[in-house]
């Protein structure tokens, strides 16, 4: 495995992710922002943040699998959430938890969450991009 995740002393431990990832692999994998589309391009979970977050994580998992990677190889995640407010955190975490159960792994690399005004189409509430490192 090319990624080691840590929470350095002196920084807060956050359950949803680790503060630092150390990459030792030789290939970088950049996964384009994934939205809540199924394989046919149909939006999953319209109006449901948790369902869309879950689908975004599953789509990233599919992209990673295509190149022989998993969430264990992810060095950084970036989430873009439409009209983000802190009261949406429980629904976001619900989606991540559901995806983790289906993926068989807890996706906890360093992550950034950015509130945005809109995404590609009005029905998309969240987009997730990933950077991974593999040997």
């Amino acid at each position: 495995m090319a990624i080691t995740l840590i929470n350095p002393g002196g920084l807060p431990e956050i359950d949803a992710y680790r503060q630092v990832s150390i990459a030792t692999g030789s290939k970088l994998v950049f996964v384009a922002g994934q939205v809540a589309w199924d394989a046919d391009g149909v939006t999953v979970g319209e109006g449901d943040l948790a369902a869309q977050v879950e689908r975004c994580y599953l789509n990233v998992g599919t992209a990673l699998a295509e190149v022989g990677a998993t969430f264990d190889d992810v060095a950084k995640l970036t989430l873009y959430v439409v009209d983000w407010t802190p009261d949406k955190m429980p629904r976001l975490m619900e989606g991540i938890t559901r995806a983790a159960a289906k993926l068989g792994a807890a996706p906890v690399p360093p992550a950034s969450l950015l509130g945005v005004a809109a995404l590609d189409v009005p029905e998309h509430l969240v987009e997730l991009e990933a950077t991974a490192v593999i040997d």
Side-chain angles (χ1 to χ4, degrees):
M1 197 169 333
I3 300 293
T4 302
L5 303 175
I6 64 170
N7 276 320
L11 294 177
E13 281 198 32
I14 299 172
D15 292 336
Y17 63 90
R18 301 300 173 266
Q19 296 281 7
V20 175
S21 65
I22 303 163
T24 58
S26 58
K27 293 181 186 175
L28 292 175
V29 178
F30 299 95
V31 178
Q34 297 298 303
V35 293
W37 277 331
D38 66 12
D40 296 320
V42 175
T43 298
V44 173
E46 191 167 338
D48 182 342
L49 180 63
Q52 289 201 15
V53 167
E54 177 184 4
R55 186 60 192 212
C56 290
Y57 273 83
L58 295 176
N59 287 350
V60 168
T62 297
L64 292 169
E66 182 67 22
V67 297
T70 70
F71 270 95
D72 289 337
D73 301 303
V74 173
K76 176 77 168 75
L77 292 171
T78 304
L79 293 104
Y80 303 90
V81 183
V82 173
D83 297 326
W84 174 257
T85 55
D87 63 307
K88 294 180 180 179
M89 186 62 80
R91 297 289 293 150
L92 183 123
M93 294 307 298
E94 178 186 337
I96 294 171
T97 299
R98 290 184 345 208
K102 290 180 179 177
L103 293 165
V108 294
S112 295
L113 187 156
L114 302 166
V116 296
L119 291 170
D120 58 333
V121 295
E123 54 271 8
H124 289 159
L125 304 175
V126 63
E127 185 170 327
L128 175 66
E129 64 183 25
T131 302
V133 180
I134 57 177
D135 292 321

